[in-house]
Amino acid sequence: MLRRLWERLRHGADTLPYPGGTPGFPERFRGRPVLDPAGAGGPALDLGACLFSPDEATACPEGALRFTTEHRLASRTREGLVTATGELPSPAALQGRARRLFGRSLRLRSVVAGSCGGCEAELVALGNVVFDMARFGVQFVASPRHADGIVVTGTVNPNMRAALEKTYEAVPDPRLVIAVGACAIGGGPFRAGPEAGTGVPAGIPVDLYIPGCPPHPLTILDGLLRLLGRIEDGTRGPRG
Amino acid sequence: MRVGLGLRNRRAVPWPAVPCLAVQEFRRAVIDATGAGGRVVSLFGLPDGPRETRLVAILADDARGELDALSARVSLGYPALTPECPQTHLFEREIAEQCGVVPEGHPWLKPVRRHPPDHLPPGVAPRPFDREAYPFFRIAGDELHEVGVGPVHAGVIEPGHFRFQAHGEEVLFLEIVLGYQHRGVERLLESEPAARGVLIAESIAGDSVIGHVEAWCGALEALARVRKSPRAQAVRGCALELERLASHLGDVGAIAGDIAYAPAAATLGRLRGECLNLLMLLSGNRFGRGLVRPGGVAFDVPDDMAAASVARLERVRAEFDRAADDFFANDSVQGRLDGVGVLTASGCADLGLVGPTARACAVPRDVRTDHPWGVYRYAHIPTATAQAGDASARAVVRQLEIIRSLEFLIEQLPALPRGAPRAALPDRLAPDELTVALVEGWRGEIAHVVVTDATGGIRRWKVTDPSFHNWSALAAAMPGGAISDFPLCNKSFNLSYAGHDL
């Protein structure tokens, strides 16, 4: 027992200083893509369709698209993920009653609906000692009746659509819907298939879109904290 | 005696040379081979002319490192193999669902993933299909009760439905219904161009990105006759071992979490993250997406990156050893894990189990040793086994594999051979060929079987994830146990829903 306590003391804290610290992504990390030369009139980038794969950069003419190490990607609207300039507005925080209700305590129910399991692995990682999402009052709960909202991952395929709709209905109002990952936003790599869906269906209004395949845990955390008004700063330029 | 066409892991053979037997001969050959210790790697159908389906069996002789391919042409039905060869039980249900062919006399002919047939031969009208219809098994009795869980679960867990028939705490029967993650992966791999195919392959099971893309590339490379440089092979091996390391560390940590042993759960969860961060250093993504590509790897490993990775892995090793000593030597940990979810070696052979699940019942199956490819032909990793077949044994096998993957990485990374990271792949694949690409993923054998058509296009892309074999093990391990042990038992297998559902 004493040995274990000593071990614990010796080890110290593991939780990342976030927000505030510099996450320090490696050079090869594929965060927000930018078009060179970025500018109005050129082609637009859709972060909701992006799979953050090196092949997407090599498929473009030399140097036309590259990935930066910028991890902040979330948007309050689907259109907000489409950018011609590389600029991405910071998602607006909840206001009024929703902010008062959820700002310091948000209970979420996870619905996995036709995914590969990658986004879920990163959602689980948010609970570990490094990311420790619970320190912000954000928790996953075991019942939709205990939840303030749902986190949807996966393409929303025919085999899960009814379960998603029932879970959404079971969450009391006011409720939030957060779409995590390329599949939940638009079908991801599976969008051509008849047995996959193209993301959260129109009948379920989405409050926050978090792109990625899968999104890095800090990308998810950044989106959630901005939605809750726990991080506030201006726009995020193409160089991050 | 072999009746099929012999082949090896990642060698392509002419499709017309695969024997097409009468269905009775085909049955006999599969039943005899598995009776003599052989293993069914894959069994599937492909449309073969009007109203006809070709059944293809890939069998493994693990002791000799050989595979065997044989086939038979069937129409609307054939006498099922399952009553005499239980290993084929889920494969035959899958054939019925995908191809509309009925394995007559199958004792448990239920849907696998609940989708309309997607490999129906021309000229066959699909039967009426109801996505919601599923005939549950039920035990009647005044003192029995039924517990249903899922598909939406209490945590962040993939969707699946578990239905228990229980007498008080004691589980009499567990039925596992899957298919909620079905995305139509095989049809997409058959129809999408290779540039998108690789992204789909990386998304078959999001925690086995390297394993599946390695098998996907292995099949393409065999059909395109591409040789990878020793450097590319070594980098791929390192990526696969990093994936195994991260997953096993996470699994032992999650087992610790389930029995409320918080110190080990915290440390091992963090070490898992550190290994994912090393994959991100190499590939730009925590799960290694973008790294493995046909012909080699998309990113090289410079010397300074290799050295930095080794230094970080040395720290992981030191911390893991301390955490593991504490966890495995703890009496209350052992008391909680011993005897939970027991499988026997003969049960393992009957069900055709793979990976750490098989090795924890003293069955030394490991593709890296039995059918080695790439770097594993030169750098041998000893196969780790345990005897008891319970949750404790499954944790111990992972512990041993963590140690050995660390040894492999620390040895390989500073001594990567020279060579180009990636070789060019020709535009065309060899026409009319069959190949089998096997990988020992962290859950066990990943198999991609590919048949090309007369123009070198993809005719069939059959994916078998280790979870397809091993979900049966969880259902077999529960009866007689307590229903409250289910989360722990489930965690000790940690199977993939996405990999099974495709």
Side-chain angles (χ1 to χ4, degrees):
Chain A
M1 190 62 201
L2 279 176
R3 190 167 54 86
R4 248 166 248 142
L5 285 172
W6 169 243
E7 191 64 25
R8 185 70 199 82
L9 276 171
R10 185 195 59 78
H11 191 77
D14 289 313
T15 307
L16 274 182
Y18 190 90
T22 42
F25 288 97
E27 194 187 322
R28 290 177 179 176
F29 174 69
R30 286 184 300 282
R32 187 148 54 79
V34 290
L35 291 169
D36 275 334
L45 261 175
D46 182 358
L47 299 192
C50 185
L51 299 180
F52 298 81
S53 143
D55 313 82
E56 290 170 323
T58 49
C60 294
E62 179 71 28
L65 184 148
R66 63 185 180 83
F67 290 97
T68 67
T69 57
E70 172 58 67
H71 71 286
R72 295 170 294 181
L73 300 169
S75 168
R76 292 293 305 274
T77 62
R78 181 68 186 85
E79 307 78 56
L81 294 173
V82 183
T83 163
T85 60
E87 295 248 336
L88 203 60
S90 178
L94 295 170
Q95 297 298 327
R97 180 164 174 249
R99 173 83 163 266
R100 282 199 305 280
L101 278 171
F102 304 139
R104 297 190 66 81
S105 165
L106 181 66
R107 305 284 172 110
L108 298 167
R109 173 81 160 163
S110 155
V111 183
V112 184
S115 77
C116 74
C119 293
E120 297 75 26
E122 294 300 47
L123 289 171
V124 171
L126 281 170
N128 72 24
V129 291
V130 176
F131 300 109
D132 192 20
M133 183 173 67
R135 74 197 142 116
F136 301 106
V138 186
Q139 281 181 330
F140 285 102
V141 289
S143 163
R145 300 284 189 213
H146 299 168
D148 304 312
I150 55 173
V151 172
V152 185
T153 47
T155 66
V156 190
N157 56 344
N159 280 355
M160 272 307 286
R161 187 160 174 163
L164 170 64
E165 285 165 353
K166 282 184 193 170
T167 305
Y168 175 69
E169 288 307 323
V171 176
D173 262 329
R175 59 198 159 183
L176 297 174
V177 177
I178 299 163
V180 171
C183 288
I185 296 172
F190 307 106
R191 60 178 171 263
E195 282 294 310
T198 53
V200 179
I204 299 180
V206 175
D207 296 282
L208 185 68
Y209 296 86
I210 303 178
C213 187
H216 190 280
L218 291 181
T219 303
I220 305 173
L221 195 53
D222 169 75
L224 287 171
L225 294 182
R226 282 170 195 276
L227 179 73
L228 299 178
R230 307 285 293 269
I231 303 181
E232 285 180 279
D233 59 31
T235 59
R236 292 157 287 165
R239 313 281 170 243
Chain B
M1 193 189 71
R2 180 195 289 148
V3 235
L5 176 68
L7 71 158
R8 286 182 177 268
N9 187 8
R10 293 159 193 247
R11 291 282 183 275
V13 292
W15 168 243
V18 175
C20 185
L21 309 170
V23 74
Q24 286 303 344
E25 273 181 82
F26 176 82
R27 284 185 85 250
R28 187 44 48 208
V30 174
I31 291 162
D32 287 352
T34 52
R39 197 166 55 76
V40 179
V41 170
S42 199
L43 174 65
F44 60 96
L46 74 164
D48 197 30
R51 304 170 65 82
E52 298 223 299
T53 295
R54 186 85 79 96
L55 298 183
V56 181
I58 307 293
L59 308 174
D61 182 342
D62 291 327
R64 298 174 60 178
E66 289 177 356
L67 303 169
D68 198 14
L70 54 153
S71 74
R73 199 173 282 124
V74 297
S75 184
L76 297 175
Y78 71 96
L81 290 141
T82 301
E84 288 167 83
C85 178
Q87 273 189 58
T88 60
H89 76 108
L90 197 56
F91 287 110
E92 293 201 300
R93 287 169 58 186
E94 188 185 38
I95 288 166
E97 187 166 77
Q98 293 187 331
C99 311
V101 173
V102 179
E104 291 143 7
H106 191 294
W108 198 259
L109 194 55
K110 302 187 184 195
V112 180
R113 306 183 177 103
R114 295 167 292 116
H115 62 82
D118 53 3
H119 288 83
L120 210 57
V124 179
R127 270 183 271 269
F129 167 71
D130 177 3
R131 218 173 265 281
E132 303 305 317
Y134 188 92
F136 281 99
F137 178 79
R138 199 157 188 193
I139 305 178
D142 288 345
E143 295 189 359
L144 302 183
H145 63 114
E146 190 176 70
V147 181
V149 185
V152 183
H153 293 293
V156 185
I157 301 164
E158 293 183 69
H161 181 84
F162 302 94
R163 195 164 294 198
F164 301 88
Q165 310 294 319
H167 181 237
E169 267 290 286
E170 188 192 355
V171 176
L172 301 180
F173 191 81
L174 165 60
E175 181 154 17
I176 303 171
V177 182
L178 300 172
Y180 297 96
Q181 292 277 56
H182 182 58
R183 292 143 289 154
V185 162
E186 289 182 0
R187 287 297 295 144
L188 286 169
L189 291 177
E190 288 157 6
S191 58
E192 292 289 297
R196 279 197 72 79
V198 69
L199 302 177
I200 294 161
E202 287 183 328
S203 302
I204 292 172
D207 54 17
S208 303
V209 169
I210 303 290
H212 271 287
V213 76
E214 172 68 53
W216 184 87
C217 288
L220 276 191
E221 287 154 0
L223 292 164
R225 312 283 190 274
V226 170
R227 284 187 171 279
K228 298 177 292 294
S229 72
R231 186 175 186 87
Q233 294 177 2
V235 173
R236 279 192 184 183
C238 289
L240 188 66
E241 294 311 313
L242 267 177
E243 180 173 272
R244 185 181 331 277
L245 190 53
S247 305
H248 283 359
L249 285 165
D251 278 358
V252 179
I255 290 170
D258 256 21
I259 60 173
Y261 195 75
T267 304
L268 296 172
R270 182 171 51 80
L271 296 180
R272 167 184 177 272
E274 176 64 0
C275 296
L276 295 181
N277 288 342
L278 283 171
L279 269 174
M280 178 166 66
L281 182 72
L282 261 58
S283 72
N285 175 281
R286 298 222 311 159
F287 298 93
R289 286 171 188 262
L291 178 63
V292 178
R293 286 296 177 267
V297 286
F299 298 98
D300 201 358
V301 182
D303 290 347
D304 57 338
M305 187 183 282
S309 302
V310 168
R312 286 165 70 173
L313 287 166
E314 293 280 14
R315 285 198 293 276
V316 169
R317 175 152 72 179
E319 289 204 53
F320 174 71
D321 286 348
R322 271 200 300 272
D325 283 351
D326 177 45
F327 180 69
F328 286 101
N330 188 307
D331 294 340
S332 57
V333 168
Q334 278 308 325
R336 188 66 190 83
L337 298 182
D338 281 351
V340 171
V342 180
L343 292 169
T344 62
S346 70
C348 173
D350 283 348
L351 291 170
L353 305 181
V354 294
T357 298
R359 296 195 281 275
C361 346
V363 178
R365 283 175 184 164
D366 189 326
V367 179
R368 293 172 295 175
T369 303
D370 301 336
H371 308 272
W373 78 98
V375 68
Y376 300 107
R377 285 175 296 160
Y378 313 110
H380 183 67
I381 298 182
T383 302
T385 57
Q387 303 295 317
D390 57 4
S392 172
R394 288 186 283 276
V396 166
V397 165
R398 288 182 176 106
Q399 179 197 14
L400 296 171
E401 294 188 7
I402 287 166
I403 294 167
R404 285 165 184 176
S405 292
L406 278 164
E407 279 168 5
F408 174 92
L409 284 160
I410 289 168
E411 185 184 304
Q412 290 290 319
L413 278 169
L416 291 175
R418 287 172 195 282
R422 190 172 181 184
L425 198 74
D427 291 337
R428 244 174 117 256
L429 303 178
D432 278 328
E433 288 197 335
L434 172 142
T435 191
V436 181
L438 303 181
V439 170
E440 184 70 22
W442 61 272
R443 286 193 181 91
E445 180 181 270
I446 294 170
H448 286 212
V449 185
V450 185
V451 180
T452 54
D453 64 20
T455 63
I458 305 297
R459 184 172 170 196
R460 186 76 170 94
W461 200 298
K462 178 81 205 100
V463 177
T464 306
D465 186 88
S467 300
F468 189 81
H469 299 282
N470 285 2
W471 273 109
S472 305
L474 176 58
M478 274 311 292
I483 199 165
S484 50
D485 269 350
F486 175 70
L488 173 60
C489 191
N490 189 20
K491 200 73 68 98
S492 76
F493 290 98
N494 190 16
L495 301 166
S496 171
Y497 302 71
H500 172 278
D501 290 350
L502 297 177

